[in-house]
Amino acid sequence: MTLLARLQGASLGARVMRSSLFTLGGFGANQVIRLASNLILTRLLFPEAFGLMALVTVFLVGLGQFSDVGVTPAILQSKRGDDQSFLDTAWTIQVARGVGLWFVAGACAWPMAWAYNEPVLAQMLPVAALVLVINGFRPTRMVTANRHLMLGRVTLLDIGTQVGGVVTAVVLAWWMQSVWALVISGIVGAALEVLLNSRFLPGPANRLHWERAAAQELIGFGKWVFLATVCGFVFSQADKILIGRFAPLDLFGVYNIGYFWASFPMMLGSMLVLKILIPIYRERPPAESRANFLKLRQMRLGVTGLLLGFTGLFALGSSWIVHTLYDGRYHQAGAMAVLLACMQMPQIIVQTYDQAALAAGDSRRFFVLALVRATLMVLCILAGIQAAGLVGAILGIGAAYLLAYPVVVWLARRMGAWDPMHDIAYGLVAALLALAAIRLNWDDIAALSESFP
């Protein structure tokens, strides 16, 4: 059977292959755009601007996750995920949430500015938080397309949205020479995403609607997702919260450039899990049959191999890349990216099955994993900062990933998804890659440790 023939049709295999190609192609295009934007903006702006915007982003992400009622995963796993009344109720909840978050952001602006001793945050946060209002109007057709692994048009629209936001950011940065260029371009990008997806995705438009049974299902599923996403925020953003609090603003801006490079594989992994693996887990639960488990094993081996290879490349080459592409103000981001990529390898290995519980509708046990991870991340980063400054904080990230592994195994076994062969094989590969990357970049890592104890 030719590749073209295998891509056609409505079978699960054909939809998975098409969705994988669109996801990988879209991710590649988005990262090229993101990289070009980063290189241009670092020349037009200054490290402190990226530090300020990172603080704003952490706050907005936190607001979004601290109020997440799990609308997207609820639609993905619900039997009513194609029922328009159910979808309109979900959209109504989403709109109300976005408006409420904007008021919360306005109330928190001054305390945030005081906590980080940056008065400009009091003006930036209420304006930047308009993104949360706009995101509330995202059409549920975006989730429906994901649910059925029909991602072609979604991918093209996502690329168009990103191009629009990046062009706006570059033009405004050249004109304003201010961090406000990043704030305004974020709002433009969010509005463009809603407009394009509302106009060009097929299906009925959403309207304000309230169905009690749908709301009860959404909120009943979402209460544990809400708690899990609160913990997920702490888990994913603890480094920025704590390093942003203890490090100078320019150093924090450089750290975010390093994180920008190290985060490529993790971002790709998150996209693949959300857009492809969770729908597959829903349609073919691994606990249901040995055939399902073996099929998922094959997919997991391929995805993890891709992600770990990608991570290894960044671990080995980030320092050289940063020194080649950026001016001297950002060179220490190279060593940071090397260490961050190495520390992320344990998470890459389990990324393909740590959300199997959500696909099965078990949001309560997923919350337990999220709580353990968040607690470990905060404790390990704090311990690392106290012991060895910035380098210690980065090492603490890796320690948190490793210490959370037994809980990941517990949850994966409950879902019938754990695969020890997969973990052992890729654990050995990760250890070899990390040792090689640290050895190759040791001089830059040592210099970073001495500069920022």
Side-chain angles (χ1 to χ4, degrees):
M1 182 180 292
T2 66
L3 177 61
L4 181 60
R6 294 180 65 185
L7 289 171
Q8 295 174 341
S11 68
L12 178 63
R15 285 184 287 137
V16 168
M17 290 187 67
R18 287 198 301 269
S19 296
S20 299
L21 289 175
F22 282 127
T23 299
L24 291 173
F27 179 82
N30 283 335
Q31 298 320 306
V32 169
I33 296 166
R34 185 170 171 245
L35 172 59
S37 167
N38 187 266
L39 292 175
I40 295 170
L41 291 173
T42 52
R43 285 161 172 77
L44 293 175
L45 298 174
F46 40 90
E48 291 84 351
F50 295 96
L52 281 169
M53 198 60 204
L55 291 176
V56 170
T57 301
V58 167
F59 179 78
L60 296 184
V61 170
L63 270 185
Q65 294 192 339
F66 272 65
S67 62
D68 189 359
V69 292
V71 167
T72 296
I75 294 172
L76 287 174
Q77 64 83 39
S78 175
K79 294 178 180 178
R80 297 190 62 193
D82 295 315
D83 183 335
Q84 193 60 38
S85 180
F86 183 86
L87 294 173
D88 285 341
T89 302
W91 187 76
T92 301
I93 292 173
Q94 194 174 271
V95 170
R97 170 176 167 263
V99 174
L101 288 177
W102 184 77
F103 284 103
V104 173
C108 293
W110 183 85
M112 180 81 172
W114 174 81
Y116 284 90
N117 195 30
E118 293 293 339
V120 70
L121 289 174
Q123 289 83 47
M124 288 175 63
L125 284 174
V127 178
L130 290 171
V131 168
L132 300 174
V133 179
I134 297 168
N135 286 344
F137 288 88
R138 285 173 173 165
T140 57
R141 282 171 280 173
M142 296 171 66
V143 186
T144 302
N146 187 1
R147 173 182 168 87
H148 296 291
L149 297 174
M150 297 184 297
L151 301 179
R153 192 173 301 187
V154 173
T155 301
L156 293 175
L157 293 174
D158 183 51
I159 293 172
T161 296
Q162 190 172 16
V163 169
V166 165
V167 170
T168 303
V170 170
V171 170
L172 290 177
W174 171 78
W175 178 44
M176 302 175 71
Q177 299 287 300
S178 165
V179 69
W180 283 98
L182 303 179
V183 174
I184 297 170
S185 65
I187 296 170
V188 172
L192 191 60
E193 179 185 42
V194 171
L195 289 172
L196 289 178
N197 284 279
S198 298
R199 174 66 180 83
F200 293 109
L201 282 182
N206 291 115
R207 61 186 179 85
L208 295 175
H209 174 73
W210 191 262
E211 182 200 307
R212 186 171 181 179
Q216 287 176 340
E217 180 180 341
L218 287 160
I219 295 169
F221 177 83
K223 64 184 179 183
W224 292 109
V225 175
F226 160 72
L227 294 172
T229 51
V230 169
C231 296
F233 165 75
V234 176
F235 174 65
S236 63
Q237 303 294 325
D239 60 328
K240 297 178 183 64
I241 296 170
L242 296 173
I243 293 173
R245 179 67 181 83
F246 291 106
L249 194 59
D250 57 344
L251 173 61
F252 183 49
V254 173
Y255 173 83
N256 276 277
I257 298 299
Y259 188 87
F260 165 84
W261 281 99
S263 66
F264 280 99
M266 291 274 280
M267 288 175 59
L268 176 58
S270 296
M271 287 181 61
L272 289 172
V273 169
L274 177 64
K275 296 186 177 229
I276 298 172
L277 287 180
I278 286 183
I280 295 173
Y281 276 119
R282 177 176 58 85
E283 292 195 23
R284 303 283 178 86
E288 192 174 86
S289 70
R290 180 67 177 170
N292 285 358
F293 175 84
L294 292 176
K295 187 67 176 177
L296 281 163
R297 165 185 275 180
Q298 185 179 7
M299 292 181 183
R300 283 194 298 260
L301 287 170
V303 171
T304 304
L306 171 69
L307 296 176
L308 198 56
F310 203 11
T311 307
L313 288 175
F314 279 106
L316 291 165
S318 286
S319 189
W320 175 81
I321 292 170
V322 169
H323 280 255
T324 301
L325 297 179
Y326 293 85
D327 64 59
R329 296 173 298 168
Y330 299 97
H331 281 178
Q332 282 156 329
M336 297 179 194
V338 170
L339 286 175
L340 283 165
C342 292
M343 295 304 104
Q344 290 173 353
M345 289 181 184
Q347 175 63 12
I348 291 290
I349 292 172
V350 301
Q351 196 171 16
T352 55
Y353 57 68
D354 66 352
Q355 294 194 49
L358 276 185
D362 190 351
S363 52
R364 183 172 64 86
R365 287 192 176 90
F366 182 73
F367 159 67
V368 174
L369 171 62
L371 177 62
V372 171
R373 278 177 160 175
T375 303
L376 287 171
M377 187 62 73
V378 171
L379 293 177
C380 289
I381 290 177
L382 282 174
I385 289 174
Q386 294 299 319
L390 178 64
V391 171
I394 297 174
L395 295 177
I397 294 171
Y401 288 140
L402 286 171
L403 291 172
Y405 178 73
V407 186
V408 176
V409 171
W410 162 76
L411 184 58
R413 290 185 66 185
R414 299 282 304 191
M415 299 298 111
W418 185 48
D419 187 352
M421 182 192 78
H422 167 279
D423 293 3
I424 292 170
Y426 281 124
L428 291 173
V429 172
L432 292 174
L433 285 172
L435 288 172
I438 291 172
R439 180 178 178 83
L440 180 64
N441 296 282
W442 178 252
D443 290 343
D444 287 340
I445 294 170
L448 175 67
S449 180
E450 292 171 2
S451 298
F452 302 107

